[in-house]
Amino acid sequence: PATRAGPAYRERMADSGTTIAAALKVDRGCFTMTAIAPLAHQSSTLYDVRLRGERLIAKEFRKPAELYDAPLREAYALSSLDALDVAPRLMGWVPAGALAAGQWPVVVYRRMEGEMWDRRAPTPADMAALATLWLTVHRPAPDGTPRARGLWQGAGQMIDRSVAIMERYGHWARSA
């Protein structure tokens, strides 16, 4: 892998900058960006973007299995939550189908104040606030809302379906 100082890193940053500029609908020279060191569990590349005094986050999706659905779901989720003012505001995005070779889909959103929980342990007050927020966010979804992967028909139907799948597998295993 390239280091920050290496030419491959600069090329990737330049290419990522082009995609981020397209998402924001601005010229590449209008903002600065710095890569954020990933945590062990992260498969996306994050950038701290500064545009006209505003701090933004650009999330570049690099996991092959998620290139097409994850950016769409994230952009839709952020725009759906915009009216509730409980999530970062979507600033723009570029889907995988609109990119040149070597570019990655990106979602850009306004950075929220505070600290992410994966960088500290939540307090009991944080958990109480999360429960209230969860009730606000998880109202019944309007028709056409993309659901989390595997939950297209709801959790109950998914569980019912998994029982049938396991029964078919058991029948196959016994007959083999």
Side-chain angles (χ1 to χ4, degrees):
T3 64
R4 284 184 169 236
Y9 179 84
R10 283 192 295 278
E11 287 173 19
R12 185 171 60 110
M13 288 289 284
D15 194 54
S16 298
T18 302
T19 309
I20 292 167
L24 294 171
K25 297 176 176 55
V26 299
D27 291 330
R28 174 59 186 97
C30 291
F31 62 90
T32 61
M33 58 189 264
T34 306
I36 298 171
L39 299 175
H41 69 276
Q42 291 176 321
S43 62
S44 300
T45 302
L46 299 177
Y47 298 96
D48 183 8
V49 177
R50 307 291 174 113
L51 173 67
R52 300 181 191 115
E54 247 187 312
R55 285 189 76 190
L56 310 174
I57 296 291
K59 183 175 183 180
E60 187 178 62
F61 294 82
R62 291 181 160 252
K63 190 173 186 178
E66 297 178 351
L67 292 180
Y68 288 90
D69 66 334
L72 167 69
R73 291 176 193 279
E74 187 150 333
Y76 189 89
L78 290 173
S79 64
S80 296
L81 294 171
D82 191 51
L84 299 176
D85 197 30
V86 297
R89 173 155 291 154
L90 177 67
M91 301 300 289
W93 72 293
V94 177
L99 299 169
Q103 293 180 311
W104 302 94
V106 68
V107 173
V108 183
Y109 50 90
R110 185 172 290 136
R111 185 180 182 110
M112 293 184 77
E113 293 301 318
E115 188 177 16
M116 292 189 304
W117 283 4
D118 63 351
R119 288 171 169 74
R120 69 170 177 83
T123 65
D126 291 335
M127 297 307 290
L130 178 62
T132 301
L133 179 62
W134 190 88
L135 292 171
T136 301
V137 170
H138 290 289
R139 296 186 311 240
D143 289 340
T145 301
R147 298 191 186 275
R149 192 177 349 186
L151 295 179
W152 289 103
Q153 298 172 335
Q157 288 186 17
M158 187 174 107
I159 291 167
D160 291 344
R161 218 174 46 240
S162 67
V163 170
I165 291 168
M166 293 307 290
E167 286 175 353
R168 282 196 312 269
Y169 173 76
H171 177 72
W172 172 83
R174 284 189 297 276
S175 66

